[in-house]
């Protein structure tokens, strides 16, 4: 079971702020998995996150104009978060067919892609699957 959207940091700010405070007391870097929404980014930064992971699931399941709009949201969120000195990662639903446009966004530090790589590995082996994904990502 996985999330089908980012955490709602804005709606549960007190809960997450306390949780993050406890983690930071143990010198743990904190990342929040959030939707590419400016208010979520601002609140994540305010409560102590150093890293965010932007949820790319809506981009991954959309098509045509809607997908272009989702890609723009992710780009804008990435640039805003970078301006806030946050490390930006992204992931959820990324595949061999849709990863290139996300990988082309400047300032994304890391892409989290698991299911697609492992699924492809069943046909061609893990090493080849990882190699193919790395090739797609590094085109940009």
């Amino acid at each position: 079971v996985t999330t089908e959207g980012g955490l709602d940091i804005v709606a549960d700010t007190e809960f997450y702020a306390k949780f993050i405070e406890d983690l930071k007391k143990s010198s743990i870097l904190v990342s929040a998995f959030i939707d590419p929404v400016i208010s979520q980014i601002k609140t994540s930064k305010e409560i102590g996150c150093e890293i965010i992971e932007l949820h790319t699931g809506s981009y991954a399941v959309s098509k045509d104009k809607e997908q272009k709009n989702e890609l723009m949201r992710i780009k804008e969120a990435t640039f805003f978060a970078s301006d806030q000195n946050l490390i930006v990662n992204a992931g959820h639903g990324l595949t061999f067919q849709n990863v290139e446009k996300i990988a082309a966004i400047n300032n994304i530090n890391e892409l989290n892609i698991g299911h697609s790589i492992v699924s492809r590995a069943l046909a061609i082996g893990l090493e080849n699957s990882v190699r193919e994904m790395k090739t797609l990502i590094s085109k940009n």
Side-chain angles (χ1 to χ4, degrees):
V1 175
T2 186
T3 58
E4 290 306 323
L7 299 171
D8 191 345
I9 301 293
V10 172
D12 295 317
T13 302
E14 269 186 51
F15 169 79
Y16 290 114
K18 175 66 175 126
F19 191 69
I20 289 168
E21 180 183 333
D22 291 344
L23 291 171
K24 292 183 80 127
K25 285 179 185 174
S26 297
S27 300
I28 296 172
L29 286 175
V30 178
S31 176
F33 180 59
I34 59 174
D35 288 324
V37 175
I38 300 302
S39 61
Q40 296 292 339
I41 296 167
K42 284 180 182 178
T43 305
S44 296
K45 173 74 173 179
E46 289 168 3
I47 63 174
C49 292
E50 295 107 345
I51 307 164
I52 59 167
E53 179 177 340
L54 296 175
H55 176 259
T56 56
S58 295
Y59 162 81
V61 299
S62 61
K63 302 283 184 227
D64 303 320
K65 185 176 180 179
E66 184 183 348
Q67 189 172 58
K68 287 179 185 177
N69 290 340
E70 289 298 326
L71 182 63
M72 185 55 62
R73 284 184 49 199
I74 294 165
K75 285 180 180 180
E76 290 171 356
T78 299
F79 297 137
F80 178 80
S82 294
D83 287 346
Q84 305 303 305
N85 296 313
L86 289 165
I87 295 170
V88 182
N89 299 331
H92 193 88
L94 296 176
T95 68
F96 288 87
Q97 292 74 36
N98 66 19
V99 72
E100 289 182 77
K101 290 179 182 175
I102 297 294
I105 300 172
N106 290 332
N107 299 329
I108 291 184
N109 177 64
E110 175 181 289
L111 295 173
N112 293 304
I113 309 164
H115 185 265
S116 187
I117 292 172
V118 173
S119 296
R120 179 86 173 119
L122 294 173
I124 66 170
L126 187 58
E127 183 177 339
N128 289 330
S129 181
V130 170
R131 187 172 286 120
E132 280 185 9
M133 183 60 76
K134 286 177 72 174
T135 298
L136 289 172
I137 291 170
S138 64
K139 282 184 177 181
N140 302 298

